[in-house]
Amino acid sequence: MCGIVGYIGNKPVYDILITGLKKLEYRGYDSAGVMIYDKSLLIKKSKGKVADLESLFVNDQDKKGSIGMGHTRWATHGAPNQINSHPHVSNSGEISLVHNGIIENYHSLKSVLLKKGYVFKSDTDSEVLVNLIEDIKKTKKIKLGKATYFALKQVVGAYAIAVFDSTNPTEIITAKLGSPLAIGVGESEYYIGSDPSPFLEFTKRCIYLNDNEMAIINLKKGLTLRDIKKDSIIDPFIEELKHDIEEVEKGGYDHFMLKEIFEQPKSIKDTFRGRLLSPSLPIKISSIEMHFDKFRSANRIIFISCGTSWHASLLAEYYFEELIRIPVKVEYASEFRYRNPVINKGDIVIPVSQSGETADTLAAIKMAKEKGAFLYGICNVVGSTIARETDTGVYTHAGSEIGVASTKAFSCQISLLLLMALDIGKRLGRIEEIRYQKIIKELAAIPKTIESVLSKSKHIEDISENFLEASNFIYLGRGYHFPIALEGALKLKEISYIHAEGYPAAEMKHGPIALIDKYMPVVIIATNKSNYHKVVSNIMEIKARGGRIIAIVSSGDTEVKKLAEYTIEIPNCDELIAPILANIPLQLLSYYIANKKGCNIDQPRNLAKSVTVE
Ligand code: F6R
């Protein structure tokens, strides 16, 4: 969480910092602040959004300067107020710092500094770090780079930092451990960002810092990269980014979330590009091809992930066990990392993550690695830490997802997971050819089929009008639709703040049915395959107790239509394809309810896009 930006060069820095911070607001929006240097140090910070920070700049004089750093915060240590906002400044007023991450041992570092007479204004761990750097710099009489290096050697935790010393105002020091940091390389200028979005419009040449790396960016001497552990200089690897700038703009939609929902046909096409060339040709996922021996001999596959990615993993359990016949386990990364799971050689661990930066998933990866598992990562963000920490893997290629609530990334994850299950199952000879052909044809057509579901958006918007006063929702699904029910409930609660729970439909009678009355809307996925009649019975049970039913049904359904208050049709399809389609109306329903309630769709309260803290 938290986003950091920076610039050192010859351009006016103010606009670069402000527009950059706005692009990173998805990482946190509790407060924002900037440091600009123009003969003297100017720090401005504000509780709230970047727009609140902007309103503090009434004087154009303050916007001058061509070196600066900025921060948008997702609060961890200390309340989201002005004092706890970054940049933090050392006691002498000379050194300023922006930080994304958590310094876990800040208490002990702080007590040593307190004894030395340091004074702290904020409750943050970051203010401890900037003063530790200052203390080392002054006692050892060394430069900022060396002092930062020694300070980081004492730090336990995670960080992406940018540090500036106004006594040597031609240099910014950056370093990374656990939290992401990208450096944009221009002509005699450098940009800093938690991801490349703040500098994509200026340069596509990017250096992703690896863990334990530090970059000393000097206006005159250029960039020097150091390995903090080995204390040695390394050659920077400059990547040419292929990101499209339009991807990070709203493109005429009111919200990124809506844009991303409507982008799903294209995103899934991108997921399949080069992999599913035609239903008659073999699936081509090079990392599976190269490591097929691992899948052939696997005793077990364990998925580790969080939130929406965990729901995708849960659906993968159904897909993999059905089509590959290898036992699958799905774990919350946050639980997995703190218990003592049995992992044997021959187990494949598959972390699934949109951002590729989720702290719990990363920690679980490290643990699985130590226990000898083979790690196959599924990530969306290219070059992310999870992509680099795994043995091999595959990108979802959903494109940049800016809306905090995940939509297109999830659809791409589940489409890719089904493609993988088909590929591995076919190679192992565990799927009947006729079945394989049927599913693969429908999967290849899914971008088009999703378009037809999206064309029902007006109908879904009309339904949403009737539920703006609801304070609870239940989502039900059986089999392949159970993970979709969980995901539907999560989407609604995240963006509309309406309490919602997802259950397997048959679990209703074991407790949740007590909640049903005329005030309880129940969204139930009732498409026409194997469990259809059992779901119809569940609908009757709800109806008998006065619950209000919104049902997702297969086109042409007549039975459920007689029972439900509202129905939304999806095309007839194989039961393995149906969850991918059924999820789309649930995304739209959440979106329209939240929008009509006036909620902040793209930046829901208390959330951040990339959860890089525990
Ligand atoms: C919900 C959502 C979160 C993320 C979770 C994991 O809409 O986006 O639940 O799915 O924080 O994030 P990633 O997939 O980046 O590891």
Side-chain angles (χ1 to χ4, degrees):
M1 332 295 240
C2 301
I4 63 178
V5 293
Y7 176 77
I8 176 164
N10 304 310
K11 290 185 195 139
V13 73
Y14 172 79
D15 284 337
I16 297 172
L17 297 181
I18 294 294
T19 51
L21 282 177
K22 284 185 178 165
K23 291 190 175 126
L24 292 180
E25 267 191 325
Y26 74 88
R27 302 181 63 87
Y29 30 84
D30 288 331
S31 68
V34 289
M35 168 299 272
I36 295 176
Y37 184 84
D38 181 41
K39 298 192 192 86
S40 64
L41 194 69
L42 173 88
I43 303 263
K44 282 199 188 278
K45 11 194 206 181
S46 156
K47 182 176 183 313
K49 302 220 163 177
V50 179
D52 300 307
L53 172 68
E54 256 182 306
S55 66
L56 302 180
F57 281 84
V58 280
N59 186 347
D60 278 349
Q61 200 57 30
D62 290 348
K63 298 181 181 175
K64 284 192 171 167
S66 46
I67 179 163
M69 315 186 301
H71 188 273
T72 177
R73 179 167 187 248
W74 187 83
T76 57
H77 293 59
N81 57 28
Q82 203 253 358
I83 291 175
N84 289 329
S85 305
H86 297 222
H88 288 285
V89 180
S90 63
N91 274 197
S92 71
E94 290 167 0
I95 303 175
S96 49
L97 166 138
V98 287
H99 168 220
N100 166 30
I102 290 183
I103 310 297
E104 286 171 13
N105 60 338
Y106 84 105
H107 260 304
S108 54
L109 297 171
K110 189 172 182 175
S111 52
V112 174
L113 291 168
L114 281 169
K115 279 187 200 132
K116 290 184 169 188
Y118 280 84
V119 177
F120 295 90
K121 295 186 194 120
S122 77
D123 305 317
T124 66
D125 49 343
S126 315
E127 194 187 6
V128 174
L129 180 57
V130 72
N131 281 304
L132 178 64
I133 295 171
E134 168 152 301
D135 186 55
I136 294 171
K137 181 175 176 258
K138 295 211 183 289
T139 31
K140 288 190 188 273
K141 298 194 173 42
I142 49 178
K143 287 190 186 157
L144 180 69
K146 254 307 184 224
T148 307
Y149 162 80
F150 283 120
L152 294 178
K153 285 272 195 194
Q154 294 186 37
V155 158
V156 177
Y159 55 77
I161 53 166
V163 199
F164 174 78
D165 180 356
S166 56
T167 63
N168 178 22
T170 55
E171 194 169 83
I172 292 182
I173 311 290
T174 63
K176 164 188 160 40
L177 178 64
S179 305
L181 197 99
I183 299 171
V185 182
E187 289 300 323
S188 311
E189 59 176 3
Y190 294 88
Y191 300 83
I192 297 159
S194 292
D195 72 34
S197 60
F199 55 76
L200 268 182
E201 60 183 296
F202 306 110
T203 180
K204 296 219 165 165
R205 302 177 72 219
C206 172
I207 301 168
Y208 285 106
L209 285 201
N210 290 308
D211 277 353
N212 292 303
E213 284 180 2
M214 180 173 156
I216 297 121
I217 309 170
N218 189 294
L219 204 48
K220 294 174 199 141
K221 296 184 203 152
L223 182 144
T224 313
L225 196 61
R226 295 193 77 89
D227 183 317
I228 300 175
K229 271 195 173 159
K230 296 188 189 137
D231 193 19
S232 59
I233 292 190
I234 31 183
D235 276 341
F237 172 67
I238 303 182
E239 225 171 282
E240 199 63 43
L241 297 175
K242 294 193 180 66
H243 296 52
D244 194 344
I245 189 73
E246 271 114 59
E247 270 187 9
V248 290
E249 308 290 344
K250 278 191 210 142
Y253 287 92
D254 288 345
H255 298 98
F256 279 110
M257 183 182 176
L258 192 62
K259 173 182 173 246
E260 287 157 7
I261 290 174
F262 276 88
E263 262 171 8
Q264 291 178 111
K266 178 191 172 291
S267 300
I268 297 177
K269 265 189 211 154
D270 290 341
T271 303
F272 289 165
R273 199 178 305 284
R275 297 170 178 157
L276 174 51
L277 302 166
S278 119
S280 55
L281 290 172
I283 296 166
K284 225 177 148 22
I285 301 173
S286 50
S287 49
I288 290 183
E289 231 166 271
M290 277 161 61
H291 299 279
F292 191 64
D293 53 323
K294 300 272 193 235
F295 285 94
R296 192 197 313 278
S297 57
N299 299 317
R300 200 168 53 138
I301 295 174
I302 306 168
F303 284 92
I304 46 173
S305 39
C306 304
T308 287
S309 295
W310 186 81
H311 297 152
S313 307
L314 206 56
L315 184 55
E317 178 180 18
Y318 287 73
Y319 285 157
F320 275 48
E321 291 207 341
E322 171 69 21
L323 300 173
I324 309 180
R325 309 301 300 153
I326 294 175
V328 172
K329 203 164 188 301
V330 182
E331 296 244 11
Y332 284 114
S334 53
E335 288 297 314
F336 182 84
R337 64 180 287 195
Y338 283 119
R339 55 186 202 84
N340 188 12
V342 177
I343 300 173
N344 299 311
K345 279 223 162 12
D347 285 347
I348 297 180
V349 172
I350 306 189
V352 181
S353 173
Q354 187 287 126
S355 62
E357 302 294 345
T358 302
D360 284 322
T361 311
L362 265 168
I365 288 172
K366 285 195 183 129
M367 187 217 227
K369 225 186 216 176
E370 278 161 23
K371 289 178 183 267
F374 175 70
L375 281 140
Y376 186 98
I378 299 182
C379 290
N380 190 39
V381 176
V382 176
S384 57
T385 312
I386 291 178
R388 282 180 276 125
E389 290 289 320
T390 41
D391 294 308
T392 184
V394 60
Y395 286 117
T396 37
H397 291 313
S400 300
E401 191 177 66
I402 309 287
V404 163
S406 185
T407 52
K408 64 175 183 174
F410 176 73
S411 290
C412 290
Q413 285 170 344
I414 56 180
S415 304
L416 178 62
L417 285 159
L418 178 53
L419 190 72
M420 286 174 62
L422 286 166
D423 186 20
I424 302 165
K426 174 134 167 100
R427 285 168 190 270
L428 290 174
R430 300 201 177 144
I431 315 175
E432 266 179 64
E433 188 57 25
I434 297 180
R435 178 116 201 264
Y436 174 86
Q437 284 302 333
K438 179 172 185 292
I439 304 170
I440 197 83
K441 274 193 193 121
E442 291 192 19
L443 190 59
I446 211 148
K448 270 247 147 313
T449 331
I450 290 182
E451 270 170 23
S452 76
V453 181
L454 289 170
S455 71
K456 308 231 162 76
S457 61
K458 178 71 180 68
H459 172 56
I460 299 167
E461 185 173 6
D462 291 345
I463 295 175
S464 73
E465 293 276 2
N466 302 291
F467 295 94
L468 305 184
E469 302 306 319
S471 42
N472 294 289
F473 261 77
I474 288 179
Y475 283 70
L476 300 176
R478 285 179 93 118
Y480 299 104
H481 289 316
F482 164 50
I484 301 301
L486 294 179
E487 175 58 12
L490 177 62
K491 251 4 29 133
L492 185 73
K493 57 188 151 195
E494 298 186 89
I495 60 167
S496 72
Y497 318 136
I498 296 174
H499 171 247
E501 294 297 333
Y503 290 102
E507 275 295 301
M508 278 295 286
K509 56 186 174 292
H510 298 291
I513 200 160
L515 295 169
I516 304 291
D517 62 16
K518 63 180 179 184
Y519 303 108
M520 179 63 87
V522 180
V523 179
I524 184 156
I525 310 170
T527 56
N528 62 4
K529 289 293 171 324
S530 38
N531 285 319
Y532 179 69
H533 285 105
K534 295 198 186 304
V535 177
V536 172
S537 306
N538 295 138
I539 291 175
M540 284 166 136
E541 288 155 17
I542 297 158
K543 201 172 161 65
R545 287 155 182 88
R548 303 182 64 189
I549 298 159
I550 306 168
I552 312 294
V553 296
S554 303
S555 60
D557 180 282
T558 49
E559 211 165 323
V560 175
K561 271 195 187 141
K562 284 185 219 141
L563 302 168
E565 190 173 344
Y566 302 99
T567 53
I568 304 165
E569 287 191 351
I570 60 167
N572 264 298
C573 58
D574 191 277
E575 61 181 342
L576 277 79
I577 301 289
I580 307 175
L581 299 180
N583 179 51
I584 311 287
L586 303 192
Q587 296 173 338
L588 285 168
L589 186 67
S590 303
Y591 172 81
Y592 289 123
I593 291 177
N595 195 27
K596 285 178 200 299
K597 283 173 72 83
C599 300
N600 187 342
I601 307 267
D602 285 331
Q603 294 171 344
R605 70 180 179 214
N606 305 340
L607 297 180
K609 184 75 186 155
S610 161
V611 187
T612 55
V613 294
E614 272 193 54

